[in-house]
Amino acid sequence: MSSNIASKSIMRQREKILRYTLWATAVLASIAYVPSVAIAIQLQLWMLILVDTLAWIAVLILALWKTLPFKIKAVAFISNWTLFSFFLLWLVGPIGAGVAWLMVTPVMSALFFGYRGAVFSSIAMLLILVFYGILLQFHTPETSLFPFEPYDVLSWFGVSGSLLFLSMLSSLAIAQLLKGTEESLVDLEASRRQLAKALTEQKQLQEQLSHSQKLSALGTLSSGIAHDFNNLLSPILISSEEMRELLPTDSVEHKQIDTIIQSAERARNLVRRILSFSHNVSTDPYALEVAPVLREGVALLRSSTSANIEMSCQVLAEDACILADPDSLMQIVMNLGTNACSAMGAAGGILEFKLYRSANEASIVLEVKDSGSGIPDSIRDQIFDPFFTTREPGKGTGLGLSIVHKLVTTFSGKISLVSEPGKGTCFTLEFPEVKKVKDHVPDVQLVADTQQQKKLPRSISILILDDEEMVRSTLRSVLVREGFNVTDTGNPSFALRQIKESPESADILITDFAMPGMTGLEVVEKLRESNPELPVLLVSGYLTIEQLDRVAALDIAGVLSKPFNRAAILERIYKLVTERKIGA
């Protein structure tokens, strides 16, 4: 590719040189043409006047003939030049200008055709000079092969040898110069392409780095938000379950508490989804029926969008199951629906959801189609990038479609789109279909058997370490009700000092991970110096792989995901008491 570009560049320069040379010859030849014609008239050399005029006219024709191909024009110009030179050489002999004109022929051939032109022209020049020498050999006053008495043969070959040497030297030097120039252009073009490639790769790396930095910032932000949000959800879940146990199962209040608990659990799962996206945490999918989640999502969208948006949901595969979890699928539906509503704007439009099996019935397809503004081709490759948005500042985060893409690919699905500016967009999501073997039991941690709990010893002391007073008080209330001796504090140093001074004061330590001044893992590390066998439950909203490795190294009995409900914490404690035979 680089060689072709360089060759084309050299060819353009040759065409320019030929064009300029033709016009320069046509104009500047008058310097030689006028005096030579005057001398020819005095000497009555009418043939010289005729040939000189014809050669000049030929040059003018070639200069004016713009459509004539370069090679034909160059060959015609060099041939015209050579024939005219040879004619002058024959007419007036070596003392005339024909020798100088003939010497230029190989130079122009090298200029227009490179090495091949130089060699070919030099051979032709050699043949002409030899032929001229042969004519000299056979010239006699009786034969009259020349109009004037020419040089003798020996003098001619002396002159022609020098002429041939100089012309070949000049032509080969020009040919080498052109070849070197072409090679330099090839190298320059290759360097330019490498530089362009390097710049492109650098730009891509910068974009990837920028995205990574944004995702890292998102991860840090989401971790902080999740920590605070989980601290609010844990008391809600635990207190609501405590209240529900005190109410009759058929009462209105019991049902209302159920609604509170369900909403809190959905909020908990939403936080997990955010952490899953920002920290690349794997989900826990199962064979999920799509239709109920889709209908629920569409119902939520109907209740939150303006009345001028007509919404429909067509389910053609009622029993279709995919490997997913309801919260992730709900997030996919809500994000695509919200994005579509935003694209339609205040003018409104039509939003259609369609669920069906593919033609080969091997996959489940979900289409989300809107009649909005569409997506321009120029940004189609960027719409799934994190933080990319076309909305005004403050009206969009640029995370909706990137989260959708992340979730779809996590569940082995594919997402594609068809869009036409001004006519709307259709997102097509395709998932592998799975069979529903049995009803899935959600990830709810149940309380241990009540009779088994009653058999457990009650003289067990638990120390709660958490910087949130609301979390500590709620958890303390639940554990006290179960009969445990509970002490709580928000000061890691106080907790360590108490365990060190009174080891019997704590049979189990329940500690939060994220606390100001000292993390839960740092607390356990210091604790192991004085009490290496004390069972510890670590509570956290999110732990990295490195932190989980530290958990294993510190022999932490268990990690409880925050926010947790009453059932989860009691199950962990009773399981720990049974396995470690605490209080026996």
Side-chain angles (χ1 to χ4, degrees):
M1 180 65 72
S2 300
S3 178
N4 291 337
I5 293 175
S7 298
K8 290 180 180 179
S9 179
I10 290 290
M11 182 58 68
R12 286 195 296 268
Q13 294 302 319
R14 285 172 172 165
E15 290 174 352
K16 287 183 180 179
I17 292 172
L18 177 59
R19 184 165 63 251
Y20 296 153
T21 303
L22 284 170
W23 281 109
T25 303
V27 174
L28 299 177
S30 59
I31 299 173
Y33 177 77
V34 174
S36 62
V37 169
I39 295 172
I41 293 173
Q42 292 178 3
L43 299 175
Q44 297 184 349
L45 296 175
W46 310 113
M47 186 177 293
L48 176 60
I49 297 173
L50 176 62
V51 172
D52 208 350
T53 303
L54 289 175
W56 195 6
I57 293 173
V59 171
L60 283 172
I61 292 173
L62 291 173
L64 293 170
W65 197 345
K66 295 182 180 181
T67 58
L68 189 65
F70 166 77
K71 289 184 178 181
I72 297 176
K73 186 181 291 189
V75 169
F77 179 54
I78 293 172
S79 299
N80 181 65
W81 192 290
T82 304
L83 291 174
F84 180 72
S85 302
F86 184 68
F87 171 75
L88 288 179
L89 190 62
W90 171 80
L91 183 64
V92 297
I95 62 172
V99 175
W101 284 72
L102 189 61
M103 183 179 175
V104 179
T105 299
V107 174
M108 287 194 299
S109 299
L111 191 61
F112 298 138
F113 299 104
Y115 270 113
R116 288 182 299 176
V119 172
F120 180 81
S121 182
S122 296
I123 292 172
M125 182 179 176
L126 175 63
L127 294 176
I128 291 173
L129 296 176
V130 171
F131 178 69
Y132 192 92
I134 293 172
L135 291 181
L136 288 175
Q137 181 67 31
F138 289 100
H139 172 74
T140 63
E142 291 79 13
T143 56
S144 299
L145 296 177
F146 295 93
F148 294 93
E149 188 66 27
Y151 278 11
D152 59 86
V153 176
L154 186 60
S155 299
W156 168 247
F157 279 110
V159 173
S160 62
S162 300
L163 176 65
L164 184 63
F165 166 73
L166 292 173
S167 61
M168 289 185 67
L169 180 64
S170 302
S171 62
L172 291 175
I174 291 176
Q176 177 58 39
L177 177 62
L178 291 174
K179 182 180 179 182
T181 303
E182 186 171 356
E183 290 174 351
S184 298
L185 288 174
V186 170
D187 294 340
L188 183 62
E189 178 62 22
S191 299
R192 188 195 67 79
R193 288 180 174 274
Q194 290 177 355
L195 179 60
K197 183 179 179 182
L199 290 174
T200 302
E201 292 175 350
Q202 183 185 21
K203 183 179 179 181
Q204 292 173 347
L205 288 174
Q206 288 175 341
E207 291 176 352
Q208 292 174 3
L209 177 61
S210 176
H211 288 164
S212 298
Q213 291 172 339
K214 289 177 180 178
L215 287 176
S216 177
L218 175 63
T220 303
L221 177 64
S222 61
S223 295
I225 294 174
H227 177 264
D228 294 339
F229 199 55
N230 288 337
N231 284 335
L232 297 175
L233 287 174
S234 292
I236 293 174
L237 283 169
I238 295 172
S239 299
S240 298
E241 288 177 335
E242 287 278 287
M243 292 175 60
R244 184 172 61 180
E245 286 197 3
L246 299 175
L247 295 170
T249 56
D250 57 346
S251 66
V252 175
E253 292 82 1
H254 191 281
K255 294 179 180 179
Q256 291 174 338
I257 295 296
D258 282 341
T259 301
I260 294 173
I261 293 173
Q262 290 174 4
S263 298
E265 287 178 345
R266 172 149 290 175
R268 175 192 63 186
N269 294 333
L270 177 59
V271 173
R272 289 178 179 175
R273 293 280 72 76
I274 295 174
L275 289 173
S276 173
F277 174 76
S278 59
H279 292 291
N280 198 24
V281 179
S282 60
T283 57
D284 185 21
Y286 59 90
L288 173 70
E289 286 189 2
V290 181
V293 180
L294 176 61
R295 289 193 177 98
E296 182 181 355
V298 173
L300 286 174
L301 283 170
R302 279 200 183 102
S303 63
S304 59
T305 55
S306 58
N308 61 353
I309 294 179
E310 182 181 342
M311 203 174 300
S312 65
C313 180
Q314 186 179 10
V315 177
L316 303 180
E318 191 68 44
D319 58 342
C321 291
I322 65 174
L323 196 64
D325 66 89
D327 296 292
S328 295
L329 184 58
M330 176 67 73
Q331 192 167 12
I332 291 172
V333 173
M334 294 298 292
N335 284 7
L336 288 176
T338 303
N339 193 71
C341 292
S342 175
M344 288 183 283
I350 300 174
L351 176 57
E352 302 174 70
F353 294 85
K354 185 177 180 181
L355 178 67
Y356 60 93
R357 284 185 174 86
S358 60
N360 58 7
E361 297 190 351
S363 57
I364 302 301
V365 181
L366 173 62
E367 286 186 1
V368 181
K369 185 178 181 181
D370 66 72
S371 59
S373 57
I375 301 173
D377 293 339
S378 58
I379 64 170
R380 194 164 296 184
D381 294 336
Q382 300 173 266
I383 61 171
F384 295 118
D385 291 346
F387 299 100
F388 176 79
T389 179
T390 57
R391 302 180 194 176
E392 297 176 4
K395 295 187 177 181
T397 63
L399 291 173
L401 290 179
S402 60
I403 292 176
V404 169
H405 186 271
K406 171 74 175 180
L407 293 174
V408 170
T409 52
T410 298
F411 300 136
S412 302
K414 296 182 293 185
I415 183 169
S416 59
L417 66 100
V418 176
S419 183
E420 187 175 350
K423 294 188 178 181
T425 302
C426 179
F427 283 92
T428 302
L429 285 62
E430 189 172 353
F431 300 92
E433 184 174 11
V434 296
K435 293 183 179 180
K436 185 178 181 182
V437 180
K438 59 180 179 179
D439 290 338
H440 176 77
V441 179
D443 182 21
V444 176
Q445 298 153 308
L446 302 176
V447 186
D449 181 76
T450 305
Q451 297 300 322
Q452 182 183 6
Q453 295 174 19
K454 291 180 179 179
K455 296 177 183 178
L456 296 175
R458 296 303 183 183
S459 58
I460 296 175
S461 298
I462 298 177
L463 175 59
I464 301 172
L465 175 58
D466 197 304
D467 60 313
E468 284 290 332
E469 168 62 30
M470 191 179 298
V471 175
R472 296 201 312 269
S473 61
T474 305
L475 187 54
R476 181 178 60 243
S477 175
V478 171
L479 296 181
V480 168
R481 185 182 172 200
E482 290 293 313
F484 294 104
N485 298 322
V486 181
T487 306
D488 66 275
T489 180
N491 189 328
S493 299
F494 174 81
L496 289 170
R497 186 169 58 253
Q498 179 174 337
I499 294 173
K500 184 177 181 179
E501 295 175 354
S502 305
E504 70 282 355
S505 64
D507 297 308
I508 299 172
L509 171 64
I510 302 175
T511 178
D512 189 23
F513 170 74
M515 295 180 292
M518 191 181 301
T519 68
L521 287 177
E522 291 172 340
V523 170
V524 178
E525 285 177 346
K526 293 182 178 297
L527 175 67
R528 290 299 181 232
E529 297 174 1
S530 59
N531 197 331
E533 297 182 356
L534 179 65
V536 177
L537 287 177
L538 182 67
V539 180
S540 174
Y542 168 78
L543 291 176
T544 65
I545 296 176
E546 292 78 8
Q547 290 165 348
L548 289 173
D549 291 339
R550 291 176 64 189
V551 167
L554 293 170
D555 190 29
I556 293 177
V559 177
L560 192 61
S561 297
K562 214 175 189 181
F564 51 86
N565 54 19
R566 176 178 179 274
I569 186 64
L570 290 179
E571 181 187 22
R572 287 297 182 92
I573 292 176
Y574 285 123
K575 183 178 180 180
L576 183 60
V577 169
T578 304
E579 292 178 349
R580 300 287 181 96
K581 297 180 181 181
I582 300 173

